[in-house]
Amino acid sequence: MPWRVIAHGDQVWHVAALAERPANTEAWQLVLSFRPAGPTPERPGRSFWAPYPLEATSKSSLFIQAEHIPDAVLSRLLAERLA
């Protein structure tokens, strides 16, 4: 189940939020997964991962902060990546 669902142009995207902790660090970092809701003939399976500049010392704190990211910011990140 996606964490968020956003629209870009005529396509719907599923966004998932994940926590990643690089080796030898104390902070968890937010990584977002973007996947089209369904394959399109011109762009089948165009999924990607994008780091987001947000970190916290616990996963739960990271996800609480992530809840405050506006959909407009996610849409902008998606548009930049697809450009």
Side-chain angles (χ1 to χ4, degrees):
M1 177 168 221
W3 168 64
R4 299 266 184 96
V5 177
I6 58 173
H8 178 71
D10 60 350
Q11 191 167 17
V12 175
W13 289 77
H14 291 175
V15 183
L18 299 104
E20 178 182 75
R21 191 174 76 191
N24 302 320
T25 64
E26 296 294 321
W28 289 91
Q29 298 174 346
L30 186 66
V31 179
L32 301 174
S33 166
F34 291 85
R35 285 183 289 188
T40 60
E42 64 276 0
R43 291 175 271 172
R46 191 173 185 186
S47 302
F48 64 92
W49 298 85
Y52 190 83
L54 197 61
E55 63 180 40
T57 55
S58 73
K59 279 197 237 182
S60 59
S61 177
L62 182 69
F63 290 130
I64 289 170
Q65 292 178 58
E67 286 297 324
H68 298 288
I69 301 171
D71 286 348
V73 171
L74 297 174
S75 293
R76 188 170 43 243
L77 182 60
L78 175 61
E80 289 170 2
R81 183 65 183 249
L82 295 176

